[in-house]
Amino acid sequence: MVNTSIKTTKSQEIFAAAQNLMPGGVSSPVRAFKSVGGQPIVFDHVKGAYIWDVDGNQYIDYVGTWGPAICGHAHPDVIAALHDALEKGTSFGAPCALENVLAEMVIAAVPSMEMVRFVNSGTEACMAVLRLMRAFTKREKVIKFEGCYHGHADMFLVKAGSGVATLGLPDSPGVPKSVTSNTLTAPYNDLEAVKALFEENPGEIAGVILEPVVGNAGFITPDAGFLEGLRELTQEHGALLVFDEVMTGFRIAYGGAQEKFGITPDLTTLGKIIGGGLPVGAYGGRRDIMSMVAPAGPMYQAGTLSGNPLAMTAGIKTLELLRKPGTYEYLDKITKQLADGLLAIAKETGHEACGGQISAMFGMFFCPGPVHNYEDAKKADTNKFGRFHRGMLERGIYLAPSQFEAGFTSFAHTEADIQQTLQAARDVMASL
Ligand code: KE4
């Protein structure tokens, strides 16, 4: 039964006005619901696992502002800490003890991290780490994987995932060939293709960057031996291994995918969760490499708001909450209930589906699977996903508005929320 109480009048009015003011009416493309149809809802406020839109409708949220809200939205401890920090000012543009605190926490948590530099987004972190890979190795070529997304910097917009995949923009206008000519791509989980690239470009590849668990082509996990193989290949060829853990960092384990899988890259990028909902990114890793970063070394990178006290405060409080015992066991339990439940319901209602979860990150494709790479993912029935997304939204469940995104839970989600979500899924899938 469609929840007819969902009225979106004010959302529609505000979004209509927004489209006159901002391209597509949004500040980031994937929010526009282009690939799922219908209009986005306009948020009024968020709390814990829930969203309220401007028409007063409540939703259980599985986007969590694309990852940062792993403690639940507007956690009281984070809000209280921010209130105190606000009294001391919003930005210093100068050293602040809070940077030391968050840096120590990140270095203690993430196996590859010996030093870290804070920036203001995942895009900035990935841009800087690419420059650092090239500066350290004195090589220019980089390998990325089809469907992986490392932010919107020019050199990464080659067969990228997330909004690029959602909007079917394999490359973007405005990106000169001269910039992407050094970006080599391979299918995810294909070690032979990576080996071939190293053999075809001897001594020219600075490194390999990847999402150690893919969230930007939908949810795709590394095949057994894939991460180990990349670690061996990069060492063999004097190249660097870089884990883009902007999404997986502090989500699939407190120490990220590198802790979960026991593979230590040379460099790591972070974002989302370490800012606790405020703009933060970071890159870091081996001390000998990070020592090249200005002003310690010659590789330039800078930022007015980098390390600002508000963002540091939100990040510190968020990591303090996450490192409490039992956090990741709970996240894994409820997310497994959700992912397994969705797949079981799809099967019961006659839909081909595949997917799964790792800790608080999950995904489901409407295709028989298995999905090992972006080509597999593109076989999914995106029209059916769009109808599923709309049906769930009408029943008060807010899923990522794209088949090519992962879903996120938080420790504010209860087992009752999961059961309510599965009941909605049962209703929707029965009528898809
Ligand atoms: P930001 O510049 O959006 O903070 O981070 C870029 C980025 C880098 N690396 C990975 C693995 C990422 O997932 C992201 C950003 N993720 C998308 C969601 N898939 C952000 C949402 C958006 O673009 O609006």
Side-chain angles (χ1 to χ4, degrees), residues 28 30 66 121-123 149-151 162 216 244 246-247 272 405:
S28 195
V30 73
W66 300 100
S121 70
T123 292
Y149 178 71
H150 304 293
S162 185
N216 288 294
D244 176 355
V246 167
M247 186 183 282
K272 297 181 192 279
E405 294 287 355

Side-chain angles (χ1 to χ4, degrees), residues 236-273:
E236 185 187 328
H237 292 275
L240 299 177
L241 179 60
V242 181
F243 279 7
D244 176 355
E245 297 224 43
V246 167
M247 186 183 282
T248 54
F250 295 94
R251 176 163 289 279
I252 66 170
Y254 190 66
Q258 54 199 273
E259 175 192 288
K260 189 87 179 179
F261 293 105
I263 302 291
T264 302
D266 300 296
L267 295 168
T268 299
T269 53
L270 295 170
K272 297 181 192 279
I273 288 173

Side-chain angles (χ1 to χ4, degrees), residues 39-356:
Q39 292 213 331
I41 58 167
V42 176
F43 286 19
D44 178 71
H45 64 284
V46 291
K47 187 73 178 171
Y50 311 122
I51 301 165
W52 286 265
D53 68 17
V54 289
D55 292 284
N57 302 302
Q58 180 180 334
Y59 305 82
I60 301 173
D61 178 23
Y62 290 103
V63 178
T65 178
W66 300 100
I70 192 169
C71 297
H73 287 292
H75 191 287
D77 295 4
V78 176
I79 298 296
L82 284 171
H83 274 303
D84 294 344
L86 270 170
E87 295 300 326
K88 300 174 80 175
T90 56
S91 174
F92 298 162
C96 159
L98 293 169
E99 293 169 274
N100 293 26
V101 175
L102 187 57
E104 283 171 350
M105 294 176 86
V106 167
I107 289 166
V110 182
S112 60
M113 290 275 189
E114 295 175 347
M115 292 190 93
V116 65
R117 166 63 61 87
F118 293 116
V119 293
N120 299 284
S121 70
T123 292
E124 265 191 270
C126 292
M127 280 170 68
V129 90
L130 182 58
R131 186 178 305 140
L132 181 56
M133 291 162 77
R134 289 170 163 163
F136 184 75
T137 61
K138 297 184 177 52
R139 300 175 180 178
E140 294 193 356
K141 292 181 178 173
V142 171
I143 296 173
K144 77 174 284 289
F145 293 92
E146 294 159 15
C148 284
Y149 178 71
H150 304 293
H152 64 83
D154 282 355
M155 49 284 196
F156 289 120
L157 288 183
V158 177
K159 298 179 187 174
S162 185
V164 178
T166 299
L167 302 178
L169 301 174
D171 299 305
S172 168
V175 176
K177 278 276 172 281
S178 58
V179 169
T180 55
S181 59
N182 283 321
T183 305
L184 310 176
T185 60
Y188 197 76
N189 278 319
D190 187 339
L191 277 176
E192 291 308 311
V194 178
K195 273 182 195 160
L197 287 172
F198 273 111
E199 284 155 10
E200 292 154 16
N201 301 276
E204 295 181 79
I205 294 173
V208 177
I209 185 170
L210 72 153
E211 295 179 54
V213 174
V214 180
N216 288 294
F219 179 76
I220 302 174
T221 55
D223 290 347
F226 180 58
L227 300 178
E228 294 84 343
L230 292 176
R231 182 64 284 181
E232 287 161 19
L233 269 174
T234 45
Q235 264 154 350
E236 185 187 328
H237 292 275
L240 299 177
L241 179 60
V242 181
F243 279 7
D244 176 355
E245 297 224 43
V246 167
M247 186 183 282
T248 54
F250 295 94
R251 176 163 289 279
I252 66 170
Y254 190 66
Q258 54 199 273
E259 175 192 288
K260 189 87 179 179
F261 293 105
I263 302 291
T264 302
D266 300 296
L267 295 168
T268 299
T269 53
L270 295 170
K272 297 181 192 279
I273 288 173
I274 64 164
L278 271 71
V280 180
Y283 63 101
R286 281 171 35 194
R287 184 176 294 275
D288 60 326
I289 304 175
M290 289 302 291
S291 302
M292 288 204 72
V293 178
M299 190 218 89
Y300 197 71
Q301 176 269 313
T304 302
L305 295 172
S306 297
N308 74 78
L310 285 194
M312 296 296 103
T313 296
I316 290 163
K317 193 49 73 178
T318 297
L319 296 197
E320 282 176 358
L321 289 165
L322 286 173
R323 68 184 177 192
K324 286 181 179 172
T327 301
Y328 290 91
E329 290 78 2
Y330 179 77
L331 289 168
D332 198 53
K333 184 179 77 168
I334 61 161
T335 315
K336 184 169 173 43
Q337 280 176 8
L338 176 64
D340 290 355
L342 289 172
L343 292 175
I345 291 163
K347 190 164 191 274
E348 286 160 24
T349 49
H351 299 288
E352 293 182 322
C354 66

Side-chain angles (χ1 to χ4, degrees), residues 1-4 341-342 344-346 348-349 351 366 387-397 419-432:
M1 181 57 188
V2 174
N3 176 350
T4 51
L342 289 172
I345 291 163
E348 286 160 24
T349 49
H351 299 288
F366 280 112
R387 299 197 303 278
F388 176 64
H389 182 273
R390 173 59 53 200
M392 293 294 272
L393 195 64
E394 287 164 356
R395 287 163 178 76
I397 310 297
Q419 291 313 313
Q420 183 179 333
T421 305
L422 293 176
Q423 184 50 53
R426 201 168 279 112
D427 293 350
V428 175
M429 286 202 208
S431 60
L432 272 186

